[in-house]
Amino acid sequence: MRDLWKNIFYGLLIFLFFAGVFSLLNPQEKIQEISFSEFIKQVEEKEVKTIEVKGNQIIIELKDGVKKTTTKETGSNLEEVLISYGIKSDDLKEINIVYREVENDFWIWLLISVLPVIFIGVFLWWILRQGQRGATQAFSFSKARPRIYGVGGKIREKVSFDDVADLKEAKEELKEVVEFLREPKKFLEMGARIPRGVLLVGPPGCGKTLLARAVASEASVPFFSISGSEFVEMFVGVGAARVRDLFSLAKKNAPCILFLDELDAVGRLRGAGLGGGHDEREQTLNQILVEMDGFERETNVILLAATNRPDILDPALLRPGRFDRHVVLDRPDIEGREEILKIHSKEKSLAKEVNFREIAERTPGFSGADLANLMNEAAILAARRNKKEITQDELRESIEKVLLGPERKSHVLSQKEKEVTAYHEAGHAILASFMPESEPVQKISIIARGLAAGYTLKLPTEERHLKTKTQFLAELATLLGGYTAEGMTFHQVTTGASNDLRQATDLARKLVMEYGMSKLGPIAFGEKTELIFLGKEFGEQRNFSEKIAAEIDKEVERFIKEAEKKAQKVLNERKDLLKKIAKLLIKKETIERQEFEKIIKEYKEKNKKGQKR
Ligand code: ADP
Ligand code: MG
Ligand code: ZN
């Protein structure tokens, strides 16, 4: 666009130049213009000395030297016209009549005919140049443009290992890699093979990209970074060409580190998926494999890659000599969470009373990214409240915001809805506190959040990697608690329970089909098929008979029915408690963990006494 304006500017400049030349060649004197009849009169009175005819323009010079001008009709002969006006031809002879070539016309012609040609020429040239640029751009698509960090790179990375909390093992491993690059001799002399590829594996948001960036700044060698999705773009065949390009760039700059982020974008298992759309990806992957084999033993290029789906990577990528080192990054534990929170609070003003430990306790299962988000939400919240510092309140509230979405205070419940929601949530909460091995209730609320009308927040006290059947059963019953409480109290259920029912059904199905926790025994039913195309687990292939299918359905039904029965039993025995909590909820809208636990404790003590009596 800027070029267009530039060209227009140049065009105008050329025009002005011509116009200037034109006016220089044709100095225009100020001559008085008169009418034709006045001109005749002056001829009749014999005042005219010379007449100059230039096309239609007539310039007369009077005997006293004054010049005047007028115009005649096109095509007419001046002398004939004058005679027809009654001027005698003898008188005419006394006047010096000069016919001149109309030089003006030449310039006008030039202006009219040449200038547009020049304009069009400039325009065409401009268009062509644009087109050419476009074309070269299109053809240079195959050039991989990795971001280059560290030595020789323009980008200076500010992230260091200190900015990465937790992840000690991963950091150690990567430091080792950096050392390999610094002193390859030491390792080669020992006969050690320099690691070719290091794969960072971990759930989304756990700091893979962050860690790689930290390596970029710690390494004393160039660091090339490119994301898997950048390989596949627009034209078929570009991906493979880019890979070739990238690897030759890396080889030229050895020793260096080459980082492929989101490897799963290109590294998925070949031959899976729908249609031919993945062909391009396969070629790209093949090229990566070829290039990795092409490295000589001495080549000092280390490949670093990150993925959150190692399970779907092509096995060829993972065999020795390729990405054979796996560094697993896990979700942070309580210490890690505390550390991450501290790192992300560095540039924020915090109140002295802030207790990160408490927040870490309340956020099991949060990833590093979630925690970073939490800190940010807290800062936003504090700013909106016109506070100078972030306090514990904001941090606590942000947990829920990150977990469940923002509060929707504007979503006003009618009195009846409020009651129903209160009983529903109270039902969940009571079941959560009276089923064995259940997770403790953190908070109950009937303020709408995200899509839910209310919520009961339960969080495990500790990280759990393995779950028992008892825990699952407690979860199932708790999920049905809302539904059951509504039915018991109002003899009718609402749509508010639909999400709970879906979760419960999914869970029950998993118990039967994946975890082998039903009568059908330790068999995993169904094969997960990956539809590359949709990028997520989509279909389940049946690897069992119709008869088994019916049995699975029966088992799922049994789990749900039993959970419902359990929920009914627990709630029926504690109708007064249900009412108490629901009433309190209607009044206060939220109940925090401590208050809730106090109510439950009081209730239990009272009941014990009652039983003794
Ligand atoms: P991914 O594993 O999906 O690549 P990222 O590395 O992009 O995740 O992490 C996202 C963000 O989460 C980072 O920018 C950082 O702010 C935060 N984060 C994640 N893990 C950590 C950690 N261990 N220490 C500090 N911040 C972290
Ligand atoms: Mg990432
Ligand atoms: Zn519910």
Side-chain angles (χ1 to χ4, degrees):
M1 205 53 214
R2 256 187 55 210
D3 279 359
L4 178 66
W5 289 117
K6 219 158 128 190
N7 283 320
I8 287 175
F9 173 72
Y10 282 134
L12 276 175
L13 219 64
I14 291 168
F15 178 79
L16 284 178
F17 171 73
F18 274 109
V21 171
F22 170 70
S23 61
L24 267 181
L25 291 174
N26 294 272
Q28 293 278 320
E29 298 159 51
K30 275 265 178 208
I31 303 178
Q32 194 202 350
E33 212 172 324
I34 52 171
S35 69
F36 198 73
S37 48
E38 216 172 315
F39 162 62
I40 301 285
K41 216 170 103 197
Q42 275 170 341
V43 176
E44 276 170 353
E45 284 166 13
K46 294 186 182 152
E47 279 176 18
V48 179
K49 197 171 104 195
T50 50
I51 299 179
E52 210 179 309
V53 183
K54 245 189 220 173
N56 292 335
Q57 198 186 19
I58 299 165
I59 300 165
I60 48 177
E61 194 179 345
L62 302 183
K63 289 197 170 130
D64 52 7
V66 177
K67 278 190 173 177
K68 294 196 172 162
T69 179
T70 187
T71 44
K72 70 174 177 70
E73 271 171 57
T74 319
S76 56
N77 182 302
L78 182 68
E79 284 164 41
E80 279 169 16
V81 173
L82 287 174
I83 288 166
S84 75
Y85 268 95
I87 311 280
K88 285 175 204 125
S89 48
D90 290 347
D91 292 345
L92 269 185
K93 270 176 199 143
E94 275 172 39
I95 304 172
N96 184 16
I97 298 181
V98 196
Y99 285 90
R100 276 184 200 268
E101 271 299 312
V102 194
E103 56 219 338
N104 285 7
D105 280 0
F106 169 73
W107 286 105
I108 288 167
W109 170 83
L110 189 80
L111 224 69
I112 290 172
S113 56
V114 176
L115 221 59
V117 172
I118 292 175
F119 267 125
I120 289 169
V122 167
F123 188 66
L124 275 179
W125 167 74
W126 175 67
I127 293 262
L128 274 176
R129 216 183 44 160
Q130 290 289 308
Q132 219 169 37
R133 192 185 297 162
T136 48
Q137 234 163 30
F139 291 121
S140 68
F141 261 141
S142 62
K143 278 255 184 292
R145 273 190 229 103
R147 287 170 295 282
I148 307 167
Y149 300 91
V151 181
K154 288 194 190 95
I155 313 172
R156 288 259 154 235
E157 189 56 70
K158 282 183 218 91
V159 180
S160 73
F161 273 146
D162 289 338
D163 294 316
V164 185
D166 207 25
L167 307 174
K168 286 170 208 76
E169 296 91 353
K171 276 199 240 178
E172 276 311 311
E173 193 92 14
L174 289 173
K175 272 181 191 158
E176 203 181 301
V177 169
V178 170
E179 215 172 300
F180 265 124
L181 286 176
R182 281 202 187 134
E183 293 176 89
K185 252 198 204 136
K186 195 167 88 184
F187 294 92
L188 282 172
E189 272 166 14
M190 288 299 283
R193 198 165 47 84
I194 289 178
R196 188 52 67 229
V198 181
L199 187 62
L200 302 175
V201 178
C206 69
K208 298 182 294 293
T209 308
L210 185 75
L211 198 58
R213 282 166 58 198
V215 173
S217 72
E218 302 279 321
S220 49
V221 298
F223 185 94
F224 301 97
S225 165
I226 194 162
S227 174
S229 54
E230 286 171 63
F231 283 125
V232 189
E233 223 177 293
M234 216 147 166
F235 297 121
V236 177
V238 162
R242 279 197 175 178
V243 171
R244 226 172 295 136
D245 209 65
L246 189 66
F247 277 75
S248 72
L249 185 70
K251 273 184 220 164
K252 245 183 261 161
N253 285 286
C256 70
I257 299 176
L258 184 52
F259 177 51
L260 304 173
D261 206 356
E262 317 285 351
L263 184 66
D264 43 304
V266 286
R268 276 168 195 266
L269 185 65
R270 285 168 293 179
L274 287 178
H278 55 286
D279 264 8
E280 164 72 355
R281 203 179 41 71
E282 281 190 3
Q283 281 180 18
T284 309
L285 173 57
N286 281 337
Q287 193 62 40
I288 293 180
L289 297 177
V290 168
E291 294 289 347
M292 286 189 85
D293 284 344
F295 281 149
E296 275 109 50
R297 209 175 79 102
E298 288 78 27
T299 318
N300 263 325
V301 178
I302 291 186
L303 247 76
L304 207 61
T307 180
N308 48 10
R309 301 292 310 272
D311 50 320
I312 61 160
L313 287 184
D314 198 286
L317 265 176
L318 305 177
R319 64 139 233 237
R322 289 177 184 149
F323 289 104
D324 44 3
R325 282 197 177 205
H326 294 192
V327 177
V328 179
L329 315 188
D330 222 340
R331 289 230 169 80
D333 56 8
I334 186 162
E335 308 285 339
R337 288 198 297 273
E338 196 178 343
E339 243 183 276
I340 293 175
L341 283 170
K342 273 182 193 152
I343 282 183
H344 286 280
S345 66
K346 261 182 199 161
E347 275 153 27
K348 300 184 172 73
S349 49
L350 291 172
K352 273 200 206 86
E353 43 113 28
V354 163
N355 178 359
F356 282 133
R357 188 73 189 186
E358 190 205 334
I359 304 299
E361 273 167 12
R362 284 174 170 232
T363 47
F366 271 44
S367 70
D370 290 334
L371 292 166
N373 188 11
L374 188 156
M375 275 313 296
N376 191 42
E377 289 291 348
I380 292 173
L381 207 57
R384 275 175 51 189
R385 290 177 178 167
N386 294 322
K387 289 193 179 175
K388 291 235 163 51
E389 293 165 326
I390 301 170
T391 66
Q392 195 76 354
D393 281 344
E394 275 89 37
L395 287 171
R396 265 188 227 130
E397 271 174 53
S398 303
I399 298 177
E400 282 143 44
K401 195 162 179 189
V402 171
L403 267 182
L404 304 158
E407 269 184 4
R408 289 191 302 155
K409 284 209 166 123
S410 62
H411 181 81
V412 187
L413 299 175
S414 69
Q415 191 54 35
K416 182 73 191 169
E417 280 174 328
K418 220 168 162 176
E419 242 172 76
V420 173
T421 312
Y423 274 95
H424 178 113
E425 297 306 331
H428 283 310
I430 290 175
L431 271 151
S433 8
F434 288 95
M435 289 294 290
E437 293 193 32
S438 188
E439 294 163 352
V441 174
Q442 295 279 355
K443 184 174 183 171
I444 325 170
S445 170
I446 56 168
I447 294 173
R449 223 177 229 294
L451 290 175
Y455 58 95
T456 301
L457 195 61
K458 298 176 300 154
L459 287 172
T461 22
E462 70 229 67
E463 263 86 1
R464 280 176 179 162
H465 297 290
L466 297 175
K467 276 192 165 185
T468 62
K469 186 173 170 183
T470 320
Q471 279 163 1
F472 280 131
L473 292 183
E475 212 175 309
L476 268 182
T478 307
L479 279 168
L480 289 172
Y483 174 88
T484 313
E486 275 186 46
M488 269 172 50
T489 323
F490 304 100
H491 307 291
Q492 174 156 284
V493 287
T494 65
T495 52
S498 68
N499 188 36
D500 296 339
L501 300 187
R502 170 147 314 281
Q503 275 185 36
T505 314
D506 286 348
L507 180 59
R509 192 161 279 277
K510 268 193 188 157
L511 293 187
V512 181
M513 294 182 65
E514 283 179 37
Y515 307 146
M517 290 179 178
S518 74
K519 266 193 215 152
L520 295 177
I523 307 172
F525 297 103
E527 233 172 285
K528 286 262 153 60
T529 50
E530 192 89 28
L531 293 196
I532 299 302
F533 184 57
L534 296 171
K536 39 159 101 164
E537 286 161 22
F538 185 75
E540 244 169 348
Q541 229 159 28
R542 265 200 185 170
N543 59 355
F544 45 85
S545 66
E546 286 296 326
K547 194 172 141 253
I548 297 283
E551 270 179 62
I552 290 173
D553 288 342
K554 224 189 269 164
E555 279 296 288
V556 171
E557 192 187 322
R558 192 174 60 89
F559 269 122
I560 300 280
K561 282 270 156 67
E562 270 172 21
E564 193 192 358
K565 249 186 238 155
K566 188 84 201 168
Q568 276 165 346
K569 185 165 177 281
V570 170
L571 290 178
N572 256 323
E573 285 166 3
R574 297 170 179 82
K575 271 187 177 158
D576 47 339
L577 180 65
L578 178 68
K579 203 167 169 184
K580 186 177 176 188
I581 294 173
K583 284 264 157 67
L584 190 64
L585 263 178
I586 294 168
K587 204 175 98 201
K588 291 185 61 181
E589 297 200 337
T590 41
I591 303 177
E592 290 284 347
R593 178 176 179 173
Q594 278 151 340
E595 191 174 3
F596 179 75
E597 277 176 355
K598 215 174 93 195
I599 296 171
I600 298 290
K601 213 169 129 198
E602 273 170 16
Y603 176 85
K604 279 184 179 162
E605 271 164 18
K606 207 173 79 192
N607 262 31
K608 253 189 227 155
K609 277 181 211 152
Q611 274 166 358
K612 270 179 199 158
R613 242 185 269 141

